[in-house]
Amino acid sequence: MALIRPRLNDYHNLPFRQGDVEFAIPFLDEDIPLYVDPFLLWKISSQQDNALHASLVNSFNQLGHLFVKGKEVEARKILIELTECNEVGLGNSKTRQGKKVGEKTANEILSLFKLVPQVNNQGFQHFEEIQLFIDNISKDRISDITCSLIKSFLIDFTIDQCQKLQIPIEKCTIPIYDYKTQKIKIEETFLPINPDNQQPIILTPKRWLRYVPWINYDDYFENYYIKDVEKTFDGKLNRVQILNFNRNNYDLVQTYISSKERSSENLANDPLFSQIPVLSAKRKFASILKLPTGKTNNADKEYEDNMVQIMASLLYPHLDFAKEQSRTDSGTQIRDLIFYNNRSFDFLKDIYDTYDSRQLVIELKNVKEIEREHINQLNRYLSEHFGRFGIIFTRKKVPRNIFQNTIDLWSGQRRCIIVLDDSDLELMCEVYESRQRHPLEVIKRKYIEFTRSCPS
């Protein structure tokens, strides 16, 4: 059975949830759109993380000193290798394959150790500063260099997590930067393997991940440069001119870095998923109730957009949201929500065992009345991609003859399609607000009602 946006644990059929583990569960076919922020390693109250930050900054500075001592080719070659870390699967690649920087960019980075006297004398305190001096260096490069320089720790972390969670690991070889010898060595170890490309997978602690690093060019420009620096110039400078200005005025950059250190008290990692507040859920439901059925004034799209945000939050943490997708079935555009079935709830384990439902598909239909073809459309889709269980959310109660159609489908093919309407959605929102029960129980109740109507 083909999975949508498969994760490592889904491939190995391991039912843990994202909220239950210390790392970001990696996708097999694309990157996680988050990045390691080295500033978090500096800021977190952990001797281990602080030591790792010191180690990676020292390693980076060591490359600069190697460059200054005349070993430019060697230093440049090492840095180029460090600028991509495909094993961690962080960033925005749709294939988990990135591209290293070229010799020109690597040379520009290392030349900072010659061109900036303060860097030449004392090195960097936060190496992500290079974003403020070199063009085309952003969060993905900073994250990859960080992971590459502390890869040895990440490998140990990965092995430890795999042993705890029974994730299979295999013997593999992997390049690692050796701080002592200042060389990249190929080492043999044991790691999870991506079945799609046979590449080793390295797990990354969630506590280090952010969408944007704490120190970044846009923040520097908007919150420091144009307020405290630009006012001294007649006319606006472009990005390249600003980067050149920074190299010649390093003390101003250090002032910005110091301000970021002082203001980091509330800095935290970005969660992989955040539920919308109760008030937001209620407002979105109120908006849905006001919508007409059909496509008038894009009512169908507005219904779907609201439902995506509501359902992803209402079903969390028992169901991790996988993806929203549109498909065309018999000439009709259909919006689906796909969830990972982690079997963390008795109902979810039941549909997994009974219908082989490794992922849960919810179809959204803003129609006046559910018709037989809507049931048949979802049934065909289940045949292609999923197990034999699906859900339709619509506006009105399902007509008796269509409900009987779902019963007949179960009787003939042992497939289960349940239909929920606005009244069920309202109850789910009420349960979400009370926090005393889980909204998933409303779907469970609907499922029980369905099974009681099926012939024994």
Side-chain angles (χ1 to χ4, degrees):
M1 179 177 63
L3 296 178
I4 301 298
R5 210 183 190 191
R7 304 176 301 177
L8 178 63
N9 59 323
D10 303 313
Y11 175 77
H12 291 296
N13 204 20
L14 298 171
F16 53 77
R17 302 175 298 182
Q18 179 60 81
D20 297 333
V21 296
E22 299 176 32
F23 56 89
I25 301 176
F27 300 120
L28 298 180
D29 57 359
E30 61 182 85
D31 283 347
I32 300 171
L34 284 166
Y35 307 85
V36 171
D37 185 353
F39 201 96
L40 279 172
L41 279 77
W42 176 86
K43 186 258 182 184
I44 292 173
S45 299
S46 162
Q47 287 186 343
Q48 174 185 262
D49 289 4
N50 298 161
L52 283 170
H53 181 267
S55 173
L56 79 91
V57 172
N58 287 339
S59 295
F60 188 82
N61 288 334
Q62 194 177 50
L63 282 180
H65 296 319
L66 193 68
F67 185 84
V68 171
K69 290 177 181 177
K71 297 184 178 180
E72 297 182 359
V73 174
E74 184 178 346
R76 192 162 49 236
K77 183 178 178 181
I78 292 172
L79 179 58
I80 289 172
E81 288 300 313
L82 297 176
T83 56
E84 190 57 57
C85 190
N86 290 322
E87 299 94 344
V88 298
L90 299 174
N92 54 18
S93 170
K94 295 301 180 183
T95 61
R96 283 185 62 99
Q97 295 292 322
K99 186 177 181 181
K100 300 180 179 72
V101 301
E103 287 191 8
K104 180 177 180 293
T105 300
N107 198 73
E108 289 177 347
I109 294 172
L110 293 169
S111 292
L112 294 173
F113 287 88
K114 288 184 176 181
L115 298 175
V116 181
Q118 297 92 326
V119 175
N120 179 271
N121 291 331
Q122 63 186 34
F124 289 102
Q125 301 300 309
H126 297 278
F127 87 93
E128 58 268 38
E129 294 174 42
I130 61 175
Q131 299 169 93
L132 309 181
F133 306 108
I134 307 298
D135 201 15
N136 298 319
I137 295 295
S138 58
K139 55 189 177 183
D140 55 340
R141 293 298 179 204
I142 298 301
S143 178
D144 281 331
I145 294 173
T146 300
C147 291
S148 294
L149 289 173
I150 59 173
K151 191 183 289 186
S152 181
F153 168 83
L154 291 175
I155 289 173
D156 291 340
F157 172 79
T158 300
I159 293 172
D160 179 63
Q161 294 299 311
C162 288
Q163 290 173 344
K164 287 180 181 178
L165 298 165
Q166 299 183 321
I167 302 172
I169 56 178
E170 300 179 26
K171 182 183 289 188
C172 61
T173 56
I174 193 166
I176 296 178
Y177 177 71
D178 188 331
Y179 174 80
K180 294 179 181 178
T181 63
Q182 296 180 297
K183 295 182 184 298
I184 292 180
K185 302 192 304 185
I186 302 299
E187 292 195 2
E188 196 173 77
T189 186
F190 288 84
L191 289 170
I193 301 298
N194 190 326
D196 290 346
N197 56 21
Q198 300 306 305
Q199 186 180 68
I201 290 175
I202 290 178
L203 306 178
T204 313
K206 292 188 296 186
R207 65 183 184 273
W208 298 345
L209 301 181
R210 285 176 56 83
Y211 292 109
V212 180
W214 186 241
I215 295 172
N216 64 85
Y217 176 84
D218 290 337
D219 176 71
Y220 169 78
F221 177 77
E222 295 172 9
N223 297 315
Y224 179 72
Y225 182 83
I226 60 176
K227 292 181 179 179
D228 298 326
V229 180
E230 174 69 13
K231 61 186 180 182
T232 65
F233 290 92
D234 297 331
K236 205 165 186 178
L237 302 180
N238 62 36
R239 181 187 179 99
V240 173
Q241 289 175 312
I242 292 172
L243 296 176
N244 290 331
F245 170 84
N246 290 343
R247 286 196 285 270
N248 295 317
N249 295 272
Y250 187 70
D251 289 343
L252 290 175
V253 174
Q254 286 187 309
T255 301
Y256 164 73
I257 299 299
S258 296
S259 72
K260 295 299 288 184
E261 290 183 345
R262 290 192 301 270
S263 62
S264 66
E265 181 178 351
N266 297 320
L267 170 65
N269 64 299
D270 288 323
L272 277 76
F273 176 78
S274 296
Q275 290 175 285
I276 61 174
V278 169
L279 184 59
S280 295
K282 291 171 67 176
R283 285 173 175 167
K284 290 184 183 302
F285 175 68
S287 297
I288 287 174
L289 288 182
K290 295 176 183 177
L291 290 173
T293 57
K295 299 183 178 181
T296 304
N297 296 326
N298 287 323
D300 56 338
K301 187 177 187 307
E302 190 173 344
Y303 170 73
E304 292 166 354
D305 289 344
N306 282 313
M307 284 293 291
V308 168
Q309 296 182 61
I310 288 180
M311 296 310 300
S313 291
L314 295 189
L315 300 181
Y316 183 84
H318 291 294
L319 287 169
D320 289 327
F321 184 53
K323 194 173 186 179
E324 57 177 290
Q325 62 178 26
S326 295
R327 59 189 169 92
T328 300
D329 198 330
S330 301
T332 303
Q333 194 73 11
I334 300 170
R335 189 79 166 272
D336 300 309
L337 307 183
I338 314 296
F339 293 86
Y340 301 107
N341 185 357
N342 301 306
R343 291 165 276 167
S344 58
F345 196 73
D346 58 351
F347 157 64
L348 297 176
K349 187 175 186 308
D350 189 14
I351 64 171
Y352 177 89
D353 293 338
T354 306
Y355 304 103
D356 193 29
S357 180
R358 295 182 64 185
Q359 289 186 308
L360 184 68
V361 58
I362 297 178
E363 191 174 294
L364 306 175
K365 305 299 289 183
N366 185 47
V367 295
K368 185 176 181 180
E369 190 172 273
I370 285 291
E371 300 175 355
R372 186 184 301 271
E373 180 55 26
H374 297 140
I375 304 297
N376 293 338
Q377 285 172 346
L378 180 54
N379 183 40
R380 288 192 294 271
Y381 191 42
L382 295 178
S383 301
E384 296 173 0
H385 295 287
F386 299 96
R388 302 182 307 280
F389 180 89
I391 296 172
I392 295 177
F393 265 90
T394 188
R395 307 301 307 280
K396 309 292 183 182
K397 288 189 178 299
V398 59
R400 181 173 294 275
N401 66 316
I402 302 302
F403 180 73
Q404 184 59 48
N405 181 220
T406 63
I407 297 296
D408 295 340
L409 185 63
W410 182 90
S411 300
Q413 303 180 36
R414 286 300 186 266
R415 295 175 180 272
C416 179
I417 294 177
I418 60 174
V419 183
L420 291 88
D421 56 52
D422 281 354
S423 64
D424 300 305
L425 180 61
E426 181 177 22
L427 182 56
M428 292 178 73
C429 290
E430 290 174 357
V431 171
Y432 182 61
E433 180 181 11
S434 71
R435 299 291 184 182
Q436 294 181 359
R437 304 188 74 179
H438 198 279
L440 188 61
E441 294 185 56
V442 177
I443 297 179
K444 176 185 175 181
R445 186 193 68 175
K446 204 77 174 183
Y447 170 68
I448 292 173
E449 291 175 357
F450 173 84
T451 56
R452 286 176 178 170
S453 299
C454 294
S456 56

